[in-house]
């Protein structure tokens, strides 16, 4: 169907500004996807998830304890290492040993909460990414209330099964213990 000369169909009439806005919107969406899916952003979110997983805010059933241990094991490489510095000197190697230690400690923990956590990232030349976490914590176990400051470093490496934690370093910087269980 033809239109008289000089008259355009309303469906074909477009402003150059509308086209520019569409292009800008598409570019912003692509930028968001790239930034959101970047390894650094993914590992920052994963490290926060690990921190939330380690926290215990209330009593839990044995099933919930088992699920938390399984989820932690999913983040760990099979040959993962754990090094604890400070008053509780400990060194463990292997996913199974770390998960067993986590389960034993968590079973005897009434509450473990991280206050004011701060997480940062550092990538090295070998392709590993380390997340560094500083936090004040409150840990209630066996009649003791333990307040302190600590830091953790999670060393992530990308393997066949994706990004997994190869090494965990825990450093206890300051600890105050209050015995609430004694008369």
């Amino acid at each position: 169907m033809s239109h008289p000369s000089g008259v355009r169909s309303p469906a074909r009439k477009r402003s150059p500004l509308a086209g520019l806005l569409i292009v800008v919107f598409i570019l912003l969406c692509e930028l968001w996807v790239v930034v959101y899916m970047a390894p650094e952003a993914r590992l920052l979110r994963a490290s926060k998830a690990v921190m939330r997983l380690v926290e215990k805010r209330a009593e839990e059933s044995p099933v919930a304890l088992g699920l938390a241990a399984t989820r932690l094991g999913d983040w760990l490489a099979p040959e993962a290492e754990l090094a604890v510095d400070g008053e509780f000197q400990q060194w463990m190697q292997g996913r199974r040993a770390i998960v067993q230690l986590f389960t034993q400690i968590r079973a005897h923990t009434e509450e473990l909460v991280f206050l004011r956590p701060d997480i940062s990232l550092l990538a090295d030349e070998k392709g590993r990414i380390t997340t560094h976490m500083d936090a004040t914590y409150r840990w209630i176990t066996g009649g003791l209330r333990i307040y302190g400051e600590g830091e953790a470093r999670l060393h992530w490496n990308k393997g066949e099964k994706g990004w997994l934690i190869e090494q965990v370093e825990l450093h206890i910087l300051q600890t105050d213990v209050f015995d609430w269980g004694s008369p």
Side-chain angles (χ1 to χ4, degrees), residues 95-108:
R95 176 191 300 151
R96 175 174 277 149
I98 295 169
V99 170
Q100 286 176 348
L101 178 65
F102 169 79
T103 303
Q104 291 171 358
I105 291 172
R106 192 172 179 101
H108 295 96

Side-chain angles (χ1 to χ4, degrees), residues 27 39 51 71 136 151 178:
L27 289 173
M51 182 179 272
R71 287 186 192 121
T136 300
E151 61 182 26
F178 301 95

Side-chain angles (χ1 to χ4, degrees), residues 79-85 88-94 97-98 101 166-170:
E79 65 284 346
E81 296 177 348
L82 168 67
V84 181
D85 195 1
F88 309 101
Q89 298 257 336
Q90 185 82 22
W91 183 85
M92 306 207 94
Q93 186 169 10
I98 295 169
L101 178 65
E166 284 188 336
Q167 187 177 34
V168 178
E169 296 176 50
L170 301 176

